[in-house]
Amino acid sequence: MNICPPLDLLQTWVTVVELESVSKAAVQLRVSQAAVSQHVRSLEEVIGVALLDRSFRPARPTPAGMRLYQDAGLLIEHASQLISNARNVMRAKGTTVKIGCVDSFAATIGPQLVKGLSNSSLKITLWTGITPVLDEQMNNRMLDVAITTEGSTKRAGISRQKLLTESYFAVFPKDFPLQPVENLIQLSHRLQFIRYSARSVIGAQVQAYLDGLGVEIERNFEFDATDPLLSLVAAGLGWAITTPLCLWQSRHHLENVTVIPLSRIRSLGKPCPPLERSFYMLWRKEELQKIPSYVKEIVSEVAARQLTKEIASTLGLDADSIFTFD
């Protein structure tokens, strides 16, 4: 079986022939003269023929060496084009780069993310969905990047990086007579609890949280999306546990609700502990060049400098309690 010599040896040989000097080739390649000589000898061993006629001073390429020089030049040029083609894949697919996000992220940070990533060589398509669906789409190569929550599964060949973490809050109808400190059990009797469905990651998180507190609340109202959930709260029909991005996604309801930290609610005589959810970026290793770092920068910029202030001001919350970043 014929073996193609390593490209670095071929490049050395092409340089030696073109400069007609081992020493000059060493200077151009920024290696020692001994290294160039060793490359030539290694190449002769791989091919099995002499490339330099060393009876001359300086040595001259043999006929076989000249033929190798001609063919090697074409091979190196082709290899360079292969690398260039691979690196340009993202530019070529600039019209089809697909990013999938959970709904609350897409509706709040998504527009600024698309704006920040879009340029003359890169166009973004934004898809939305729940975490299990986005995970599967990522696995099936329907997405180039996915931004999901805790439920994301770790798969071979897919990188996973945390973008930000947000705290959960309790949300009530605007005119609901809140006590300075509410008791969770009594609260559940005074006002219906409206929850996210168990098939969503946020619904599963809230249920696990209540289970950890040892509290059972009837499952009368369940929704996959925030808007119908908040519409019932705003109408005075119940209370819910949700997050800042979910609230901001449906901010047209905010004038009719009151948002408080979970610590203002007690369970078993103690303040309810904090509850958080994190967003993760998934992408395939070695495929997206600098795009993942751009995504992280844009998300941090939008959430930290824009959304934190707007949400804190609108809801009367401590800005430091809304988001944390790695």
Side-chain angles (χ1 to χ4, degrees), residues 259-310:
V259 180
I260 66 170
L262 290 175
S263 58
R264 276 191 56 185
I265 303 174
R266 287 183 174 270
S267 177
L268 300 177
K270 298 179 180 179
C272 287
L275 176 63
E276 299 177 332
R277 73 165 177 170
S278 296
F279 290 88
Y280 294 87
M281 172 174 56
L282 310 179
W283 75 97
R284 291 180 192 82
K285 298 175 181 176
E286 311 300 335
E287 287 191 15
L288 296 180
Q289 300 180 34
K290 295 183 179 181
I291 291 179
S293 63
Y294 293 157
V295 170
K296 184 172 176 61
E297 289 174 10
I298 294 169
V299 170
S300 297
E301 178 76 13
V302 173
R305 299 205 173 192
Q306 178 181 335
L307 286 182
T308 296
K309 294 179 180 178
E310 292 179 354

Side-chain angles (χ1 to χ4, degrees), residues 173 191 231-238:
L191 191 64
S231 68
L232 264 64
V233 175
L237 299 180

Side-chain angles (χ1 to χ4, degrees), residues 102-170:
V102 293
D103 290 343
S104 57
F105 187 98
T108 53
I109 299 178
Q112 293 299 321
L113 178 60
V114 172
K115 182 179 179 181
L117 289 175
S118 297
N119 55 48
S120 59
S121 63
L122 190 63
K123 185 177 178 181
I124 304 298
T125 298
L126 191 68
W127 292 10
T128 64
I130 59 176
T131 288
V133 173
L134 295 175
D135 270 345
E136 194 58 33
Q137 290 174 335
M138 200 55 202
N139 188 49
N140 294 335
R141 286 189 169 272
M142 296 173 66
L143 294 174
D144 299 305
V145 178
I147 297 174
T148 62
T149 52
E150 264 89 347
S152 307
T153 42
K154 296 181 180 179
R155 300 182 185 273
I158 294 181
S159 298
R160 185 172 184 257
Q161 182 178 20
K162 185 185 292 186
L163 295 175
L164 63 88
T165 298
E166 62 175 347
S167 301
Y168 279 83
F169 292 86

Side-chain angles (χ1 to χ4, degrees), residues 2-73:
N2 294 327
I3 300 176
C4 180
L7 287 176
D8 60 335
L9 299 187
L10 292 175
Q11 182 62 67
T12 298
W13 176 244
V14 168
T15 305
V16 168
V17 174
E18 289 180 346
L19 297 181
E20 300 180 346
S21 168
V22 169
S23 60
K24 291 180 180 179
V27 172
Q28 179 162 313
L29 296 172
R30 298 183 179 181
V31 296
S32 67
Q33 186 171 331
V36 172
S37 297
Q38 182 57 50
H39 275 196
V40 173
R41 293 191 190 94
S42 297
L43 194 55
E44 289 176 325
E45 291 175 5
V46 171
I47 298 175
V49 298
L51 300 176
L52 280 177
D53 185 344
R54 294 175 175 82
S55 64
F56 291 91
R57 290 292 183 271
R60 300 176 182 176
T62 64
M66 285 303 299
R67 178 57 188 267
L68 179 64
Y69 162 72
Q70 295 166 357
D71 293 341

Side-chain angles (χ1 to χ4, degrees), residues 167 169 244 303-304 307-313 316-325:
S167 301
F169 292 86
L307 286 182
T308 296
K309 294 179 180 178
E310 292 179 354
I311 293 173
S313 175
L317 299 173
D318 178 5
D320 292 335
S321 69
I322 297 175
F323 299 123
T324 57
F325 304 89

